[in-house]
Amino acid sequence: MVLDPSSPVGDGTVKMVEKPTGEPERETWGKKIEFLLAVVGFAVDLGNVWRFPYICYRNGGGAFLIPYLIMLIFGGLPLFYMELALGQFQRCGCLTLWNRICPMFKGIGLAICIISTYVSWYYNTIIAWSVYIFFSSMRSRVPWLDCGHSWNTNSCYSFNTEHSNMNNTSIAIDWSNTSHQSPAEEFFELEVLGLDNANGIGDVGGIKWSLTICLSGVFVIVYFAMWKGVKSSGKAVWITATMPYVVLIILLIRGCTLPGSWGGIKYYLSPDFSLLASHEIWVEAAAQIFFSLGPGFGVLLALSSYNKFTNNCYKDALVTSCINCCTSFIAGFAVFSVLGHMAYNQEKEVKDVAREDVGLIFYRLSGSYRIIIREGSTFWALLFFFMLITLGLDTTFGGLEAICTGILDEWPWLRKRRELFVLGLMAYCFLGALATTTYGGIYVVQLLDNYGAPVAIIFVVFLEAAAVSWIYGIERFSKDIESMIGHKPGIFWRFCWGVVSPVFLLTLFILSVVFPQTPKYGSYVYPPWSLNLGWVIVCSSLFFIPAYMVYKFIITPGNPLERLRAMTIPEEVPKHAQEVIPVYL
């Protein structure tokens, strides 16, 4: 249905008329479990075993859990529920949705597509690293067990009480010497990345073709999982969403049996309350919640739009968000038990055994897991990195599906050529990701990880919450939910949507702009021009929000006040809606 042009703007009501689109009936998930697995698979990602532990480590272990839980209850969970309900009721993607909520905010959908593109440029490269290491582990002895390989330097030493350098000379190690590097660290930086051929983000060197081949393999898998829509991706998630839990539980049990593991777990659970006075820990907690649960990325809108109309999205929101956050919490035990063991071996404090960057999950954990696995190193390495691959694939399915659903719903004629459209999208994202497969690609990854999504997504989710709650109306939104599940949301949800979540989000966005986080990798210091480039990346997605408002204002007829009023009135209602609720200006 669309706005009837014969209805005078400003008379207090809007009359809706049927829109003769001739669109085919929207496909739905084959089984309810496929939807749940897709949502869990998207939400439970590398961020749970990479980003969450590394942010915990950077913020004093258990101290981070307090703002994390607060942001979950008052920010992440209500918005997670909101997006599932919006997608299921409106049955469309992140672009068309705003025609039915508040047309002036359609730029939010464009911003979401840009943000998802940036994430695809570096996130799939992280999966490619795992693919590279996975295949490198297919030998009788994994290559990061010891030194003596072609990529090792004279600074290479293993974790044993006595260690061997390239010349196999037995020596005792003084771990206070920061020049020492583990075999895993050198394997990751020198063999996987080829970092010795780059001189920072200003000179990243050429493309490392072995990584490029791995990246192309990732995109091929993603393509064949997505080319038929939810019919194909719904089958893929049976493996990609369940396998990581099997591996994670096994690694958790083994990690907790290691000598010194309790020291790491104690560090993980012991909060330093003085850190709570820092704005940084709150900003990072919010960013982690939104990055993990995924409100604002358009994925929840896309996935839930293929649900049946009467599906209980409220129960889905509670179950899937709790599974996601519990997974992060459990993964923390697995990671910190290993860090505790590393600290025990090196006679260090837990806070001193690992660096605070993206390499934590790769060379620190792969290096320490070789202590865990001893004789079965190859099998366990393959299992561990297969877990990382499946974790990453689920999330990239969701992120790219958000773009696909948004564009295909906005231009339905493209659905007849979905296979070609998805192929074009994969090619575009692959070309954009090539910069991250250079020898210095990890510097690009850190830059994109810092600026591509976290800051912009907080503002996007703020505008989304504000538009739904303050313009579309909480009461109307609650009636939409009632029509699907039989009852309205409770006062807690309505209060969070209307007051708590928008205020929190706006405050966090202001803090993240006034006190920005700078990217880091080891001791490398990013030059000022690269930080300016980072803010250009942030603004490049947010730019579409005011730009579309201006465009909409120009093309809307009437005087300025009439235009502004018309821009806040839904232009469409979903064709499955049983009745149209009057819209009061």
Side-chain angles (χ1 to χ4, degrees):
M1 295 184 184
V2 296
L3 180 65
D4 182 358
S6 65
S7 177
V9 177
D11 68 349
T13 62
V14 172
K15 178 183 176 183
M16 296 291 180
V17 297
E18 194 70 32
K19 180 183 179 181
T21 60
E23 296 176 16
E25 188 68 24
R26 190 175 189 81
E27 63 178 325
T28 58
W29 294 97
K31 297 179 181 178
K32 171 67 175 289
I33 188 64
E34 292 179 357
F35 164 70
L36 294 177
L37 287 174
V39 174
V40 170
F42 164 70
V44 178
D45 66 344
L46 289 173
N48 296 84
V49 296
W50 156 46
R51 191 182 181 92
F52 179 83
Y54 128 70
I55 293 178
C56 280
Y57 186 83
R58 192 166 67 189
N59 288 283
F64 180 74
L65 298 178
I66 296 174
Y68 179 80
L69 290 174
I70 291 174
M71 292 300 168
L72 167 65
I73 295 171
F74 293 102
L77 186 53
L79 293 166
F80 190 85
Y81 178 23
M82 173 184 280
E83 285 213 352
L84 287 184
L86 277 174
Q88 183 170 307
F89 183 84
Q90 303 296 346
R91 299 180 72 80
C92 59
C94 60
L95 291 171
T96 308
L97 172 80
W98 294 102
N99 295 338
R100 303 174 179 184
I101 299 294
C102 181
M104 68 184 292
F105 282 107
K106 195 168 185 176
I108 289 178
L110 297 171
I112 287 173
C113 291
I114 299 300
I115 292 171
S116 296
T117 297
Y118 290 150
V119 173
S120 74
W121 287 357
Y122 74 89
Y123 195 87
N124 289 290
T125 297
I126 295 174
I127 304 174
W129 295 344
S130 296
V131 171
Y132 186 99
I133 300 174
F134 178 83
F135 285 104
S136 296
S137 303
M138 291 182 176
R139 57 186 75 181
S140 59
R141 189 175 176 84
V142 293
W144 61 81
L145 280 178
D146 46 35
C147 306
H149 300 279
S150 60
W151 59 80
N152 289 129
T153 68
N154 287 319
S155 297
C156 178
Y157 298 101
S158 64
F159 282 112
N160 298 321
T161 304
E162 290 192 1
H163 309 266
S164 299
N165 62 11
M166 292 181 63
N167 298 319
N168 295 321
T169 305
S170 180
I171 57 176
I173 295 301
D174 174 16
W175 285 104
S176 63
N177 187 341
T178 57
S179 66
H180 295 144
Q181 290 184 300
S182 70
E185 186 173 357
E186 291 204 344
F187 171 74
F188 177 67
E189 292 190 337
L190 304 181
E191 170 63 8
V192 177
L193 302 179
L195 203 56
D196 54 326
N197 295 307
N199 294 310
I201 196 167
D203 181 13
V204 294
I207 291 175
K208 193 172 191 296
W209 291 107
S210 53
L211 282 181
T212 304
I213 293 172
C214 292
L215 180 66
S216 63
V218 170
F219 276 107
V220 168
I221 294 172
V222 174
Y223 172 74
F224 284 108
M226 291 180 57
W227 70 324
K228 294 294 184 182
V230 295
K231 294 185 183 297
S232 54
S233 60
K235 302 299 182 290
V237 294
W238 281 94
I239 297 175
T240 57
T242 57
M243 183 62 185
Y245 285 97
V246 176
V247 181
L248 185 61
I249 290 172
I250 294 173
L251 295 176
L252 171 63
I253 294 172
R254 182 66 183 113
C256 289
T257 62
L258 294 171
S261 60
W262 172 246
I265 294 173
K266 184 178 179 181
Y267 180 83
Y268 177 47
L269 296 178
S270 301
D272 180 358
F273 291 106
S274 64
L275 293 174
L276 299 179
S278 170
H279 71 277
E280 294 180 358
I281 193 172
W282 294 91
V283 172
E284 290 205 281
Q288 174 59 20
I289 280 292
F290 299 131
F291 201 93
S292 181
L293 287 180
F297 286 95
V299 179
L300 302 176
L301 293 172
L303 298 180
S304 62
S305 72
Y306 299 107
N307 274 334
K308 295 180 180 178
F309 184 73
T310 56
N311 175 65
N312 193 332
C313 55
Y314 172 63
K315 187 179 295 184
D316 293 345
L318 293 179
V319 170
T320 53
S321 60
C322 287
I323 289 175
N324 170 71
C325 294
C326 287
T327 303
S328 294
F329 188 62
I330 293 171
F333 280 99
V335 171
F336 277 88
S337 65
V338 172
L339 294 176
H341 182 58
M342 291 171 61
Y344 173 82
N345 276 350
Q346 299 179 29
E347 298 181 353
K348 284 185 173 184
E349 295 292 327
V350 175
K351 63 183 178 65
D352 298 324
V353 297
R355 287 193 344 214
E356 303 168 1
D357 53 48
V358 69
L360 172 64
I361 190 63
F362 287 97
Y363 58 74
R364 288 304 189 190
L365 292 187
S366 61
S368 53
Y369 271 122
R370 67 113 177 134
I371 302 172
I372 299 176
I373 53 191
R374 299 291 184 185
E375 300 301 327
S377 60
T378 298
F379 170 76
W380 286 93
L382 292 173
L383 201 62
F384 176 68
F385 286 102
F386 182 68
M387 176 188 72
L388 295 186
I389 293 168
T390 54
L391 280 170
L393 285 175
D394 267 335
T395 301
T396 202
F397 291 163
L400 293 173
E401 182 59 49
I403 301 176
C404 286
T405 299
I407 294 176
L408 295 180
D409 284 344
E410 185 69 11
W411 294 283
W413 57 272
L414 286 172
R415 292 178 187 169
K416 297 179 181 179
R417 298 289 184 268
R418 180 184 171 98
E419 293 89 346
L420 293 177
F421 173 77
V422 175
L423 180 62
L425 179 63
M426 295 300 109
Y428 167 72
C429 292
F430 174 75
L431 292 175
L434 285 180
T436 63
T437 65
T438 57
Y439 292 110
I442 195 167
Y443 298 121
V444 182
V445 168
Q446 291 281 179
L447 187 73
L448 288 172
D449 179 52
N450 199 85
Y451 292 108
V455 178
I457 207 65
I458 292 175
F459 189 66
V460 164
V461 179
F462 160 71
L463 289 180
E464 180 180 305
V468 172
S469 300
W470 301 344
I471 301 178
Y472 185 75
I474 291 179
E475 184 62 25
R476 183 175 183 178
F477 181 52
S478 297
K479 288 182 179 179
D480 292 347
I481 294 176
E482 183 182 20
S483 69
M484 294 187 294
I485 66 176
H487 60 83
K488 290 184 179 180
I491 190 171
F492 168 78
W493 302 106
R494 286 179 283 172
F495 180 69
C496 285
W497 291 332
V499 180
V500 179
S501 296
V503 171
F504 264 161
L505 290 166
L506 182 59
T507 301
L508 290 168
F509 175 73
I510 294 172
L511 287 175
S512 64
V513 172
V514 176
F515 304 102
Q517 293 288 309
T518 56
K520 64 168 61 177
Y521 182 75
S523 59
Y524 178 74
V525 178
Y526 278 74
W529 68 264
S530 66
L531 305 183
N532 293 333
L533 175 61
W535 285 107
V536 170
I537 293 173
V538 172
C539 294
S540 65
S541 57
L542 297 181
F543 162 79
F544 286 94
I545 299 174
Y548 188 83
M549 289 181 181
V550 173
Y551 165 75
K552 189 67 176 178
F553 183 83
I554 293 173
I555 67 171
T556 302
N559 62 47
L561 183 58
E562 290 173 341
R563 294 183 185 190
L564 290 174
R565 286 179 175 176
M567 288 166 61
T568 63
I569 299 172
E571 298 175 343
E572 303 175 12
V573 294
K575 62 182 179 180
H576 57 272
Q578 299 301 309
E579 62 180 2
V580 178
I581 303 172
V583 179
Y584 294 94
L585 301 180

